[in-house]
Amino acid sequence: MPFVPHTSSQVRDMLRRLGARSVAELYDEIPDTLLRNEPPGIPSGLDEAGIGRIARQRAGSNTPLLCFAGGGAYEHHIPAAIWDIASRGEFYSNYTPYQAEAAQGSLQLTYEYQTMIAGLTGMDVANASLYDGATAFAEACLMAVRCNRKSDARKIAVARSLHPAWRAVARTLLDGQGIELVEAPLDDSGRADFNYVYENIGGGFAAIAVAAPNYLGGMPDLEAWRALADREGALLVVGINPVSLGLLRPPGEFGADIVCGEGQPLGIPMSGGGPFLGLLACKAQYIRQMPGRLAGRTVDAAGDTAYVLTLQAREQHIRRSRATSNICTNQGLMVVAATLYMALLGGEGMRRVASACHARTAQLVEALTAIGGVRRAFDAPFFHEDVLQLDRPVAPVLGALAEQGILGGIDISSEYPELGDALLVCATEMRTEDDISRYARALREIYRLT
């Protein structure tokens, strides 16, 4: 329970200055159906210790589930050192390093993070991070329109296999600027059919946007899409899962112009609604169109190494009309965790994690598809997620699995109705052979009884 230092008269004075009649008026965008006047089940007049006791009891009633769900947030092992270090005061309470002379440690860490992300993606430069993967993708689309000077197109051809939440967020941010997202449908392998778009809708796209691996777990053909982008005069935007790059060739080696992604797998725990971390990297020629901040390394007057904020093309620092973005902060604490994760694991550690994820998912898919009525949706390679088609509705099956303590995946039937009763499953390095056997036994029994 937070300590609130303001007296009633101070609150009234602040509301008067704001022109608001009540505190509730400040939050009037929240639907009434979600608001309660009193916390449910809390006796009136209960003291702080009593409320704390009830809160602990209710938290204890949560049942941990064996997780086989992915879809953009993944359960990975997080070495203990990461958050022990990230929770130190100099990192935990750190704020924007506007004064370089007083923030050398923070700036150096940001610089190291950028260097690692650029190396991991095979790109020339990475920024100091954005909010999450979805906003990073939206910013990548805006950036592509600005960068593609050979085209005045305000359309992006985007793979339908790209994360639905990313597409939804991008559509929200792009609509107001008159930029259209045109979806390329799934082909038989779960990849994007951009030829359908060009043949039936026409060209004139500023960029082609794909994900590698995509939301459905499949692997893209980046060489083919690079060739298509070159033929059509479009940039190539690639969304990534950073852990997958422990095994896969980085998109920079395929000629990607802009790379974006979700950094949560890099040492950031899963929690309700976040936190997340937006990754963004690009070719050097597009650096001045990059949103957010960029920390750089230089030398001071004495010739010693020093770190500074090199690029801040956002509206808080320059004229609004010349800003590349209204993103006004980076995810500083998550950057600390991600940097520590990559530094501790190194290239070999990242490769091992990625290999274990792929191996576990292959075992999982083999075990589940051995059950009659369960089959793969696509006969194509995957990284650590795959789509299974069931011979019955997915939601009741997931409900029955949850009763046995298993989070069996994500029901994507409504997002992708063309796939029928479709279940997206995932296994990271956290899942053991026993975990996978338990899932398969539970699903087999559910099928037998229903």
Side-chain angles (χ1 to χ4, degrees):
M1 188 171 66
F3 170 64
V4 181
H6 305 119
T7 64
S8 298
S9 63
Q10 288 173 325
V11 171
R12 285 196 298 273
D13 184 52
M14 285 188 283
L15 289 173
R16 181 180 57 76
R17 289 172 181 247
L18 290 170
R21 288 168 296 184
S22 66
V23 173
E25 189 176 326
L26 301 177
Y27 302 96
D28 60 3
E29 72 273 19
I30 300 174
D32 291 341
T33 54
L34 299 179
L35 296 176
R36 291 175 179 267
N37 292 325
E38 298 290 342
I42 303 293
S44 178
L46 194 64
D47 60 17
E48 181 178 336
I51 292 176
R53 184 165 53 251
I54 290 177
R56 287 192 294 275
Q57 289 171 346
R58 293 183 178 179
S61 65
N62 288 329
T63 302
L65 298 175
L66 190 61
C67 182
F68 290 92
Y74 304 96
E75 183 187 9
H76 288 288
H77 173 65
I78 301 174
I82 290 176
W83 283 96
D84 273 5
I85 298 172
S87 300
R88 289 172 60 97
E90 57 267 46
F91 289 131
Y92 202 69
S93 60
N94 189 23
Y95 189 59
T96 305
Y98 290 126
Q99 292 178 280
E101 66 275 20
Q104 284 299 289
S106 301
L107 286 164
Q108 180 178 356
L109 185 137
T110 304
Y111 177 82
E112 302 289 356
Y113 161 82
Q114 295 169 179
T115 303
M116 292 179 188
I117 294 298
L120 192 64
T121 57
M123 303 301 287
D124 296 325
V125 61
N127 76 357
S129 79
L130 298 168
Y131 290 133
D132 54 25
T135 49
F137 171 63
E139 290 287 351
C141 291
L142 289 168
M143 186 178 167
V145 171
R146 294 192 300 269
C147 291
N148 194 344
R149 298 181 184 280
K150 295 180 181 177
S151 168
D152 58 358
R154 299 184 71 79
K155 294 190 299 182
I156 306 285
V158 58
R160 182 163 164 72
S161 54
L162 194 137
H163 199 303
W166 289 23
R167 286 182 278 128
V169 169
R171 206 167 270 115
T172 299
L173 293 178
L174 301 181
D175 278 354
Q177 302 197 39
I179 299 173
E180 182 185 4
L181 283 185
V182 178
E183 288 190 4
L186 302 179
D187 65 12
D188 293 340
S189 67
R191 295 170 175 161
D193 188 354
F194 284 109
N195 288 325
Y196 175 89
V197 173
Y198 279 97
E199 291 170 4
N200 294 276
I201 300 175
F205 293 100
I208 292 172
V210 299
N214 62 39
Y215 177 73
L216 305 176
M219 303 307 302
D221 187 352
L222 289 181
E223 286 184 350
W225 289 337
R226 176 71 267 177
L228 177 64
D230 289 340
R231 188 188 74 199
E232 300 294 338
L235 300 189
L236 179 61
V237 175
V238 180
I240 56 143
N241 176 333
V243 169
S244 72
L245 298 179
L247 277 182
L248 307 176
R249 287 174 60 195
E253 291 188 9
F254 294 92
D257 295 292
I258 304 170
V259 173
C260 57
E262 173 53 60
Q264 180 272 331
L266 301 174
I268 300 171
M270 292 197 298
S271 187
F276 290 104
L277 169 64
L279 314 178
L280 191 74
C282 68
K283 291 180 176 176
Q285 66 200 78
Y286 303 129
I287 190 171
R288 289 199 169 275
Q289 295 301 328
M290 177 175 275
R293 301 188 181 94
L294 192 70
R297 185 176 67 183
T298 183
V299 293
D300 62 14
D304 296 325
T305 298
Y307 299 89
V308 295
L309 281 179
T310 303
L311 185 70
Q312 303 176 78
R314 60 184 185 142
E315 66 181 25
Q316 198 174 5
H317 293 119
I318 61 177
R319 282 184 296 170
R320 180 182 293 265
S321 61
R322 297 183 64 83
T324 58
S325 170
N326 64 358
I327 295 285
C328 289
T329 188
N330 67 314
Q331 287 281 58
L333 186 60
M334 301 306 110
V335 163
V336 173
T339 306
L340 293 168
Y341 183 89
M342 290 185 284
L344 283 170
L345 267 68
E348 177 59 21
M350 295 282 287
R351 188 193 65 77
R352 292 184 183 184
V353 170
S355 297
C357 289
H358 175 68
R360 292 287 185 264
T361 303
Q363 293 171 3
L364 175 68
V365 170
E366 181 180 3
L368 298 185
T369 53
I371 300 170
V374 181
R375 65 184 183 91
R376 293 187 66 200
F378 308 109
D379 183 19
F382 56 82
F383 170 52
H384 73 352
E385 291 177 286
D386 199 17
V387 179
L388 305 180
Q389 288 177 318
L390 310 188
D391 62 357
R392 61 197 70 190
V394 174
V397 173
L398 288 179
L401 286 167
E403 291 177 359
Q404 300 186 48
I406 298 172
L407 179 56
I410 299 174
D411 182 358
I412 59 171
S413 308
S414 59
E415 290 285 357
Y416 295 90
E418 64 270 41
L419 298 180
D421 295 312
L423 173 65
L424 182 66
V425 296
C426 171
T428 68
E429 82 281 11
M430 297 292 285
R431 296 288 71 85
T432 66
E433 292 185 7
D434 288 345
D435 293 336
I436 292 169
S437 296
R438 178 183 164 192
Y439 185 3
R441 285 196 305 273
L443 184 60
R444 191 183 300 277
E445 183 65 9
I446 291 168
Y447 262 57
R448 188 183 69 80
L449 296 175
T450 57

